Tab-separated table of all heavy atoms in Angstrom:
chain	number	residue	atom	x	y	z
A	1	LEU	N	-1.733	-14.037	4.645
A	1	LEU	CA	-2.202	-13.034	3.680
A	1	LEU	C	-1.352	-13.025	2.414
A	1	LEU	O	-1.341	-12.045	1.669
A	1	LEU	CB	-2.169	-11.638	4.327
A	1	LEU	CG	-3.031	-11.474	5.581
A	1	LEU	CD1	-2.642	-10.203	6.342
A	1	LEU	CD2	-4.502	-11.441	5.225
A	2	GLY	N	-0.659	-14.124	2.164
A	2	GLY	CA	0.258	-14.195	1.030
A	2	GLY	C	-0.406	-14.049	-0.321
A	2	GLY	O	0.274	-13.806	-1.325
A	3	TYR	N	-1.729	-14.179	-0.376
A	3	TYR	CA	-2.450	-14.005	-1.638
A	3	TYR	C	-2.464	-12.554	-2.105
A	3	TYR	O	-2.801	-12.276	-3.260
A	3	TYR	CB	-3.885	-14.532	-1.512
A	3	TYR	CG	-4.670	-13.922	-0.379
A	3	TYR	CD1	-5.312	-12.700	-0.508
A	3	TYR	CD2	-4.764	-14.584	0.845
A	3	TYR	CE1	-6.040	-12.138	0.542
A	3	TYR	CE2	-5.472	-14.041	1.899
A	3	TYR	CZ	-6.109	-12.820	1.748
A	3	TYR	OH	-6.808	-12.273	2.794
A	4	ILE	N	-2.128	-11.615	-1.220
A	4	ILE	CA	-2.080	-10.196	-1.606
A	4	ILE	C	-0.734	-9.940	-2.273
A	4	ILE	O	0.305	-9.982	-1.613
A	4	ILE	CB	-2.266	-9.282	-0.380
A	4	ILE	CG1	-3.609	-9.578	0.309
A	4	ILE	CG2	-2.192	-7.812	-0.784
A	4	ILE	CD1	-3.856	-8.794	1.581
A	5	PRO	N	-0.699	-9.672	-3.576
A	5	PRO	CA	0.583	-9.632	-4.287
A	5	PRO	C	1.460	-8.441	-3.949
A	5	PRO	O	2.674	-8.552	-3.907
A	5	PRO	CB	0.164	-9.607	-5.765
A	5	PRO	CG	-1.228	-9.063	-5.765
A	5	PRO	CD	-1.850	-9.503	-4.482
A	6	LYS	N	0.859	-7.283	-3.700
A	6	LYS	CA	1.649	-6.088	-3.436
A	6	LYS	C	2.105	-6.102	-1.982
A	6	LYS	O	1.286	-6.117	-1.050
A	6	LYS	CB	0.838	-4.839	-3.748
A	6	LYS	CG	1.664	-3.558	-3.739
A	6	LYS	CD	0.896	-2.402	-4.341
A	6	LYS	CE	0.789	-2.534	-5.847
A	6	LYS	NZ	0.228	-1.332	-6.493
A	7	LEU	N	3.414	-6.073	-1.760
A	7	LEU	CA	3.985	-6.270	-0.431
A	7	LEU	C	3.461	-5.254	0.572
A	7	LEU	O	3.082	-5.615	1.692
A	7	LEU	CB	5.516	-6.203	-0.497
A	7	LEU	CG	6.244	-6.362	0.841
A	7	LEU	CD1	5.931	-7.698	1.493
A	7	LEU	CD2	7.757	-6.193	0.646
A	8	ASN	N	3.437	-3.981	0.215
A	8	ASN	CA	3.015	-2.967	1.177
A	8	ASN	C	1.539	-3.091	1.538
A	8	ASN	O	1.143	-2.839	2.678
A	8	ASN	CB	3.320	-1.569	0.650
A	8	ASN	CG	4.781	-1.217	0.797
A	8	ASN	OD1	5.454	-1.694	1.710
A	8	ASN	ND2	5.307	-0.401	-0.095
A	9	ARG	N	0.709	-3.472	0.571
A	9	ARG	CA	-0.701	-3.710	0.875
A	9	ARG	C	-0.835	-4.923	1.803
A	9	ARG	O	-1.663	-4.934	2.718
A	9	ARG	CB	-1.492	-3.919	-0.416
A	9	ARG	CG	-2.978	-4.237	-0.234
A	9	ARG	CD	-3.743	-3.079	0.383
A	9	ARG	NE	-5.174	-3.378	0.429
A	9	ARG	CZ	-6.058	-2.688	1.116
A	9	ARG	NH1	-5.685	-1.628	1.813
A	9	ARG	NH2	-7.329	-3.029	1.094
A	10	ARG	N	-0.008	-5.929	1.596
A	10	ARG	CA	-0.032	-7.113	2.466
A	10	ARG	C	0.368	-6.740	3.894
A	10	ARG	O	-0.233	-7.191	4.864
A	10	ARG	CB	0.913	-8.172	1.912
A	10	ARG	CG	0.740	-9.559	2.537
A	10	ARG	CD	1.822	-10.517	2.058
A	10	ARG	NE	2.068	-10.365	0.631
A	10	ARG	CZ	3.225	-10.605	0.037
A	10	ARG	NH1	4.271	-11.011	0.764
A	10	ARG	NH2	3.372	-10.454	-1.253
A	11	LYS	N	1.397	-5.892	4.021
A	11	LYS	CA	1.801	-5.434	5.352
A	11	LYS	C	0.671	-4.653	6.029
A	11	LYS	O	0.386	-4.840	7.218
A	11	LYS	CB	3.048	-4.552	5.250
A	11	LYS	CG	4.322	-5.285	4.883
A	11	LYS	CD	5.480	-4.293	4.775
A	11	LYS	CE	6.784	-4.973	4.432
A	11	LYS	NZ	7.891	-3.999	4.305
A	12	TYR	N	0.059	-3.769	5.255
A	12	TYR	CA	-1.065	-2.992	5.806
A	12	TYR	C	-2.172	-3.940	6.284
A	12	TYR	O	-2.746	-3.747	7.358
A	12	TYR	CB	-1.595	-2.028	4.746
A	12	TYR	CG	-2.803	-1.246	5.195
A	12	TYR	CD1	-2.667	-0.063	5.914
A	12	TYR	CD2	-4.092	-1.696	4.911
A	12	TYR	CE1	-3.781	0.645	6.341
A	12	TYR	CE2	-5.204	-0.994	5.328
A	12	TYR	CZ	-5.046	0.179	6.041
A	12	TYR	OH	-6.158	0.874	6.466
A	13	ALA	N	-2.466	-4.966	5.485
A	13	ALA	CA	-3.482	-5.938	5.873
A	13	ALA	C	-3.110	-6.625	7.183
A	13	ALA	O	-3.972	-6.888	8.035
A	13	ALA	CB	-3.673	-6.973	4.762
A	14	GLY	N	-1.816	-6.915	7.371
A	14	GLY	CA	-1.363	-7.509	8.622
A	14	GLY	C	-1.597	-6.588	9.806
A	14	GLY	O	-1.950	-7.047	10.905
A	15	ILE	N	-1.395	-5.300	9.607
A	15	ILE	CA	-1.653	-4.321	10.675
A	15	ILE	C	-3.135	-4.321	11.052
A	15	ILE	O	-3.490	-4.279	12.236
A	15	ILE	CB	-1.194	-2.918	10.205
A	15	ILE	CG1	0.336	-2.865	10.123
A	15	ILE	CG2	-1.728	-1.833	11.127
A	15	ILE	CD1	0.871	-1.622	9.453
A	16	ILE	N	-4.009	-4.383	10.048
A	16	ILE	CA	-5.450	-4.346	10.306
A	16	ILE	C	-5.931	-5.637	10.962
A	16	ILE	O	-6.759	-5.606	11.885
A	16	ILE	CB	-6.224	-4.083	8.997
A	16	ILE	CG1	-5.882	-2.693	8.437
A	16	ILE	CG2	-7.724	-4.226	9.206
A	16	ILE	CD1	-6.235	-1.534	9.346
A	17	THR	N	-5.434	-6.785	10.518
A	17	THR	CA	-5.894	-8.041	11.120
A	17	THR	C	-5.467	-8.150	12.583
A	17	THR	O	-6.192	-8.722	13.404
A	17	THR	CB	-5.383	-9.262	10.328
A	17	THR	OG1	-3.954	-9.201	10.207
A	17	THR	CG2	-6.003	-9.309	8.936
A	18	ALA	N	-4.305	-7.592	12.934
A	18	ALA	CA	-3.897	-7.576	14.345
A	18	ALA	C	-4.860	-6.732	15.172
A	18	ALA	O	-5.206	-7.088	16.307
A	18	ALA	CB	-2.468	-7.044	14.473
A	19	MET	N	-5.291	-5.596	14.606
A	19	MET	CA	-6.269	-4.753	15.292
A	19	MET	C	-7.595	-5.491	15.456
A	19	MET	O	-8.237	-5.426	16.512
A	19	MET	CB	-6.455	-3.455	14.506
A	19	MET	CG	-7.369	-2.424	15.152
A	19	MET	SD	-9.105	-2.670	14.762
A	19	MET	CE	-9.077	-2.517	12.985
A	20	ASP	N	-8.006	-6.232	14.417
A	20	ASP	CA	-9.251	-6.992	14.497
A	20	ASP	C	-9.184	-8.037	15.608
A	20	ASP	O	-10.167	-8.250	16.337
A	20	ASP	CB	-9.540	-7.657	13.147
A	20	ASP	CG	-10.865	-8.380	13.132
A	20	ASP	OD1	-11.911	-7.710	13.026
A	20	ASP	OD2	-10.860	-9.626	13.249
A	21	GLU	N	-8.047	-8.700	15.753
A	21	GLU	CA	-7.877	-9.681	16.824
A	21	GLU	C	-8.085	-9.041	18.194
A	21	GLU	O	-8.667	-9.649	19.100
A	21	GLU	CB	-6.482	-10.296	16.762
A	21	GLU	CG	-6.260	-11.254	15.613
A	21	GLU	CD	-4.809	-11.707	15.538
A	21	GLU	OE1	-4.111	-11.615	16.574
A	21	GLU	OE2	-4.379	-12.130	14.451
A	22	SER	N	-7.602	-7.810	18.349
A	22	SER	CA	-7.742	-7.139	19.648
A	22	SER	C	-9.213	-6.880	19.979
A	22	SER	O	-9.602	-6.908	21.152
A	22	SER	CB	-6.949	-5.830	19.656
A	22	SER	OG	-7.613	-4.806	18.944
A	23	ILE	N	-10.037	-6.639	18.961
A	23	ILE	CA	-11.473	-6.451	19.202
A	23	ILE	C	-12.071	-7.723	19.786
A	23	ILE	O	-12.874	-7.684	20.731
A	23	ILE	CB	-12.189	-6.057	17.896
A	23	ILE	CG1	-11.722	-4.679	17.425
A	23	ILE	CG2	-13.712	-6.062	18.079
A	23	ILE	CD1	-12.277	-4.265	16.067
A	24	GLY	N	-11.668	-8.874	19.223
A	24	GLY	CA	-12.154	-10.143	19.748
A	24	GLY	C	-11.783	-10.350	21.211
A	24	GLY	O	-12.605	-10.814	22.022
A	25	LYS	N	-10.558	-10.011	21.569
A	25	LYS	CA	-10.122	-10.166	22.959
A	25	LYS	C	-10.908	-9.254	23.899
A	25	LYS	O	-11.260	-9.650	25.018
A	25	LYS	CB	-8.629	-9.864	23.060
A	25	LYS	CG	-7.744	-10.885	22.358
A	25	LYS	CD	-6.279	-10.485	22.417
A	25	LYS	CE	-5.394	-11.476	21.672
A	25	LYS	NZ	-3.966	-11.057	21.688
A	26	ILE	N	-11.167	-8.047	23.459
A	26	ILE	CA	-11.928	-7.094	24.278
A	26	ILE	C	-13.365	-7.584	24.471
A	26	ILE	O	-13.914	-7.539	25.584
A	26	ILE	CB	-11.894	-5.702	23.619
A	26	ILE	CG1	-10.476	-5.120	23.736
A	26	ILE	CG2	-12.925	-4.762	24.237
A	26	ILE	CD1	-10.203	-3.974	22.788
A	27	MET	N	-13.974	-8.082	23.393
A	27	MET	CA	-15.342	-8.594	23.501
A	27	MET	C	-15.405	-9.824	24.403
A	27	MET	O	-16.354	-9.987	25.195
A	27	MET	CB	-15.874	-8.916	22.106
A	27	MET	CG	-16.102	-7.699	21.229
A	27	MET	SD	-17.438	-6.633	21.835
A	27	MET	CE	-18.865	-7.666	21.471
A	28	LYS	N	-14.416	-10.691	24.326
A	28	LYS	CA	-14.384	-11.861	25.200
A	28	LYS	C	-14.266	-11.449	26.656
A	28	LYS	O	-14.945	-12.008	27.537
A	28	LYS	CB	-13.218	-12.777	24.822
A	28	LYS	CG	-13.158	-14.067	25.639
A	28	LYS	CD	-11.997	-14.950	25.207
A	28	LYS	CE	-12.056	-16.320	25.897
A	28	LYS	NZ	-12.074	-16.224	27.374
A	29	ALA	N	-13.414	-10.453	26.923
A	29	ALA	CA	-13.258	-9.981	28.299
A	29	ALA	C	-14.564	-9.402	28.829
A	29	ALA	O	-14.954	-9.667	29.979
A	29	ALA	CB	-12.138	-8.940	28.366
A	30	LEU	N	-15.270	-8.621	28.016
A	30	LEU	CA	-16.560	-8.066	28.435
A	30	LEU	C	-17.558	-9.176	28.735
A	30	LEU	O	-18.333	-9.093	29.696
A	30	LEU	CB	-17.108	-7.136	27.349
A	30	LEU	CG	-16.402	-5.795	27.176
A	30	LEU	CD1	-16.861	-5.109	25.898
A	30	LEU	CD2	-16.648	-4.876	28.375
A	31	SER	N	-17.541	-10.215	27.903
A	31	SER	CA	-18.443	-11.347	28.122
A	31	SER	C	-18.070	-12.119	29.386
A	31	SER	O	-18.932	-12.420	30.217
A	31	SER	CB	-18.398	-12.268	26.902
A	31	SER	OG	-19.167	-13.431	27.112
A	32	ASP	N	-16.791	-12.409	29.543
A	32	ASP	CA	-16.336	-13.172	30.706
A	32	ASP	C	-16.665	-12.461	32.019
A	32	ASP	O	-16.963	-13.110	33.030
A	32	ASP	CB	-14.823	-13.405	30.633
A	32	ASP	CG	-14.418	-14.379	29.538
A	32	ASP	OD1	-15.310	-15.052	28.981
A	32	ASP	OD2	-13.205	-14.457	29.237
């Protein structure tokens, strides 16, 4: 996410993308 110039906004984006990854894992588990 280095394209986001403002450091705190970049950190916030990192928090959100980690949450998004967890949705994928939950959906995979439901499918499996």
Side-chain angles (χ1 to χ4, degrees):
L1 300 165
Y3 55 83
I4 301 176
K6 190 168 287 189
L7 179 60
N8 282 330
R9 178 65 175 167
R10 193 187 318 151
K11 290 178 179 179
Y12 177 85
I15 290 170
I16 296 299
T17 55
M19 184 274 300
D20 184 77
E21 288 174 22
S22 77
I23 294 174
K25 292 176 182 178
I26 290 163
M27 292 293 289
K28 183 179 188 303
L30 288 168
S31 175
D32 290 348

